[in-house]
Structure formats: C-alpha cells, structure tokens
C-alpha cells in the first residue's frame, strides 16, 4: 500500500473525532477527563498522529448521548466503530508497528498492575476509615482506580489483538491458501491464557538469603519446542490456541535458544509474535528469567533483554528481588539496575523499598542507583521511603 493509502483512514478517523468533540463540552464529562489527564495524547488523536484506544471513543460517544440523546449514538456509533477499525488497520500497517505495539503493551500491563495495587490499597483504606472524614475522598479515589484498572485491561486486550492480527496477516501473505479454520483450544495454565488475564499479586515471595544467587541450570528443553514454519502454519489455519501454546513451550526452552528463536521469527516475518514470547519468558521462575535476560544481552539483543526485564516487574516484589540477585550473581549489574529502574517506574516507593528487604546490603545501593537513573524526583522519593523504613545508607 502507498503512504497515502495508509494515511487516509487515519486522517478520516481524526476528522470524525474532531467533529465529535466539537459537539461536546470540553469542561465536562469524559472529554474533560481525557483532556485534563493527557492533553498531549488527546491532541495527538485529534491531529491524526495517534489512534485512540476504543474505550476512549466509547466514552466520548457516552458524552454525546448525554448532550444529544441515545439516537445520536445509535447513528454515530456504528460509523465510529468502522472508521476506528479502518484507522487501526492502516496505522498498524506502518513499518515497525509490531515493535511499537509491543512497547505500548508492556506499558499498559504495568499500568494495569499499578492500578490493581492502588485499588487494593484504597479498598483497605476505606475499610479502615469506617465512615470517618476521609471516607468520601477515599471512595472517590477508589472509583478512579477501578476505572484505571478496567481501562488498562481493555487497552491491553486491544493491543494484544492488534499484535495477533499483525501475526496472522504476516503468515497469510506467506501461506495464502491457509484458510481460516476454527481456533483450536489448547490446554494451558491460567498464567499462559494471556498477559492481560493474569491477576497481579500484591504479596511477595519468600525472602532469599543476602548472597547473590547464581542462576540454576534450567531443566532439559522439550523436544523441538517450536519453529517459525510450524507457528506460521498454525496461524494461517486459524489455530490460534495451538500457536500460543507453541510459544509457551518455546519460552521454557534453554535460555541460550531464545536469541536464535527470535531471529527465526523475525526472518519469517513473525516479529509480531516476539512480544508474546517475551511475556511468557517473563513469567518464568526468577533464576530462569535472569538466565534468559543474560542470554539476550550476550547475543546483542539488548532491546529484547530490557523489554523482558520491564515486563517482569508486574510480578510480586519478592520475585523481582530474586531476579535482581540472580542477575548480580551472573555478573550482570547493568541488567539488575535496569530491572530495578523498571520497578521504580511501575511501583510505589514503598513497594520498591520492600524489594530490598531480602538482601539490603546488595539491593539498597542498587535501588538508589536505579532511582537516580530514572529521575531526581524518584531518587528523592525512594530515599525518603528507605529512611521511613529504617534503612541506613
């Protein structure tokens, strides 16, 4: 497709969105919320630089119903859906779309984790307030945290769907006669049902000793865990469940095989499968996760190693600490610092400090270095949380 063919649906949807917002009140409803919370993002959507998530469009249509009645939404809703789908398809046909969507999915999963933890904290605070003077404020904050949790989950599902569509399109062009048979169900664990379906756990794993942990050798890999040709044929015939199960099996192969597998997927035009593979690797036990990050870095796959580490901070902080210790034990201090920098960005200062409890001698300096890498403000907040917890540094 030409550049004009790619850009036309995005521009058309942006025109529709501008027309819709002209009918709304910028100081009221969801339109006011989006404009206040993310003015640059809203402007990018109106300019056609970005395509908004569908939940944003749905909320704006809700605003329209409040001003013009349900009939207006019944009229405009189907058109909005069609234009949005066309814009998304055109946007995702741009070069580098798979990597961009993978980065956004990583960010959205972290946002969902934070929203879930915030919701849990506020619910506990509201119970403790028991009708006191802070109850109304806490109830209001809890409602917003719930909305953030729901929206981030919906956006993660949407992004994963777009990545799946890119993968299917890639294999369809290579196997044009593949057909679109029914999706085959594959037996898999709750964890591997999809990254956005995995409920976060606010607890932490048992504490490890203060000695850095050397990654344990993984169990023998399953025979022929995957190859790009087999994965492509499963996608081409609509057997998405089996394709995902194949990626899950590949994630459990020997860490040294991971860079080669990513090379194979990219060479076969299946780059959109890489974020899903990395998510499955990010769910492995900490020693094997650290070994996978080590293997990627050693193979020159620094970007994938960083993505893997960033995805893993959605885990309980005790497991993040265990992974950091394993990286230090393997002689990968830069990767351990990257892991803790991601932890600082994604979690509260108190949670980040909690991750140092198992081995403060090794992990407190690491946390302070990582926080300084993120920003002076984060370093200040982390330092304050450490002092409040009684740490000396």
């Amino acid at each position: 497709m030409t550049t004009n063919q790619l850009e036309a649906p995005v521009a058309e949807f942006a025109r529709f969105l501008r027309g819709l917002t002209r009918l709304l009140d910028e100081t009221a409803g969801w339109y006011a919320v989006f404009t206040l919370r993310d003015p640059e993002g809203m402007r990018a959507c109106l300019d056609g630089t970005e395509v908004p998530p569908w939940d944003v469009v749905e909320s704006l249509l809700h605003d329209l119903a409040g001003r013009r009645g349900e009939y207006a939404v019944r009229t405009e809703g189907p058109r909005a859906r069609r234009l949005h789908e066309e814009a998304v398809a055109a946007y995702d046909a741009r070069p580098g779309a798979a990597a961009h969507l993978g980065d956004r999915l990583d960010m959205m999963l972290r946002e969902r984790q934070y929203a879930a933890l915030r919701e849990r904290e506020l619910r506990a605070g509201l119970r403790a307030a028991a009708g006191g003077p802070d109850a109304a404020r806490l109830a209001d904050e809890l409602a917003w945290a719930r909305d953030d949790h729901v929206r981030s989950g919906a956006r993660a599902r949407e992004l994963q769907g777009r990545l799946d569509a890119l993968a299917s399109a890639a294999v369809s062009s290579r196997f044009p006669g593949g057909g679109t048979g029914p999706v085959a169900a594959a037996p898999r664990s709750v964890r591997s049902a999809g990254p956005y379906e995995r409920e976060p756990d606010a607890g932490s794993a048992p504490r490890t000793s203060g000695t850095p942990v050397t990654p344990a050798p993984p169990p023998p890999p399953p025979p022929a865990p995957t190859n790009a040709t087999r994965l492509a044929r499963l996608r081409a015939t609509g057997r998405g469940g089996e394709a995902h199960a194949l990626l899950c099996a590949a994630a459990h192969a020997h860490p040294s095989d991971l860079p080669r597998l990513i090379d194979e997927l990219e060479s076969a035009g299946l780059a959109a499968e890489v974020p899903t593979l990395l998510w499955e690797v990010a769910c492995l036990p900490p020693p094997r996760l650290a070994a996978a990050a080590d293997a990627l870095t050693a193979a020159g796959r620094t970007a994938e190693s960083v993505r893997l580490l960033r995805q893993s901070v959605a885990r309980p902080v005790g497991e993040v600490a265990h992974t950091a210790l394993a990286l230090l034990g393997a002689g990968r201090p830069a990767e351990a610092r990257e892991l803790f920098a991601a932890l600082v960005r994604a979690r509260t200062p108190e949670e980040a400090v909690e991750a140092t409890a198992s081995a403060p001698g090794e992990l407190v300096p690491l946390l302070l270095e990582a926080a300084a890498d993120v920003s002076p403000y984060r370093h200040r907040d982390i330092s304050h949380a450490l002092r409040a917890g009684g740490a000396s540094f």
Side-chain angles (χ1 to χ4, degrees):
M1 295 180 71
T2 67
T3 301
N4 287 341
Q5 287 174 313
L6 289 176
E7 299 301 329
V10 178
E12 185 179 1
F13 179 75
R15 281 194 296 272
F16 168 82
L17 199 62
R18 289 193 296 272
L20 173 60
T21 55
R22 279 195 289 269
L23 301 175
L24 305 178
D25 182 357
E26 194 178 36
T27 65
W30 286 111
Y31 186 29
V33 171
F34 297 142
T35 302
L36 181 65
R37 281 187 151 193
D38 187 11
E40 292 182 3
M42 196 71 224
R43 176 50 53 192
C45 294
L46 294 172
D47 289 344
T49 309
E50 293 284 347
V51 180
W54 175 248
D55 72 277
V56 171
V57 184
E58 217 167 24
S59 295
L60 295 177
L61 289 170
H62 182 272
D63 284 355
L64 180 65
R67 292 178 66 83
R68 298 294 180 98
E70 290 294 334
Y71 176 76
V73 176
R74 286 197 297 271
T75 303
E76 294 298 325
R79 181 175 173 230
R81 173 60 90 174
R82 175 179 60 81
L83 292 176
H84 184 264
E85 289 176 351
E86 292 171 355
V88 163
Y91 190 91
D92 292 351
R94 295 172 174 176
H100 179 61
L101 290 175
D103 288 340
R104 287 174 63 182
L105 178 58
D106 293 348
M107 180 186 71
M108 200 52 59
L109 290 168
R110 291 196 298 272
E111 287 189 12
R112 183 176 186 271
Q113 169 75 1
Y114 178 78
L117 291 169
R118 180 66 176 152
E119 184 180 348
R120 208 168 295 174
E121 290 171 355
L122 289 168
R123 195 180 294 115
L126 190 59
R127 285 195 299 267
D134 290 335
R137 176 184 60 81
L138 289 170
D140 185 57
E141 291 184 18
L142 178 59
W144 283 114
R146 284 173 177 161
D147 183 72
D148 288 342
H149 191 192
V150 171
R151 286 185 187 276
S152 57
R155 292 173 189 182
R157 287 191 291 274
E158 183 177 334
L159 289 166
Q160 185 67 62
R162 289 165 69 175
L163 281 166
D164 289 345
L166 281 177
S168 297
V171 299
S172 295
S173 65
R174 291 171 179 269
F175 299 90
T180 55
V183 175
R188 39 191 174 148
S189 65
V190 173
R191 176 193 59 74
S192 62
Y196 42 80
E197 294 174 5
R198 185 168 172 261
E199 281 300 326
D201 182 0
S204 58
R207 295 182 178 182
T208 60
S209 67
T211 305
V213 180
T214 301
T226 191
N227 60 68
T229 303
R230 185 180 173 198
L231 182 63
R233 291 193 182 280
L234 289 172
R235 289 292 190 193
T237 53
R239 294 154 70 185
E242 291 180 65
H244 190 92
L246 198 62
L247 287 172
C248 294
H252 287 79
H254 196 282
S256 62
D257 291 336
L258 186 59
R260 176 194 56 76
L261 176 56
I262 293 176
D263 287 340
E264 187 181 345
L265 290 172
E266 290 179 343
S267 297
L270 299 175
E273 302 283 1
V274 174
T276 303
L277 173 64
L278 291 177
W279 175 260
E280 292 300 330
V281 176
C283 297
L284 293 175
R288 298 195 57 205
L289 167 60
D294 185 15
L296 288 170
T297 301
R301 288 273 183 182
T302 307
E304 286 77 13
S305 178
V306 169
R307 173 179 288 177
L308 178 63
L309 294 171
R310 288 177 177 174
Q311 286 178 331
S312 71
V313 298
R315 302 165 68 135
V317 292
E319 294 183 11
V320 177
H322 193 178
T323 304
L325 290 169
L327 288 167
L328 290 173
R332 291 290 183 183
E335 285 73 16
R337 192 165 63 248
E338 180 63 48
L339 174 66
F340 264 31
L343 180 71
V344 167
R345 292 186 187 98
R347 309 290 278 268
T348 66
E350 293 74 19
E351 290 165 341
V353 168
E354 184 184 344
T356 68
S358 60
E362 294 87 353
L363 297 182
V364 167
L366 180 69
L367 179 61
L368 288 168
E369 290 174 12
D373 289 343
V374 174
S375 76
Y377 305 103
R378 288 288 189 175
H379 185 268
R380 180 200 62 197
D381 293 343
I382 293 294
S383 299
H384 177 74
L386 282 166
R387 291 190 188 96
S392 57
F393 52 95

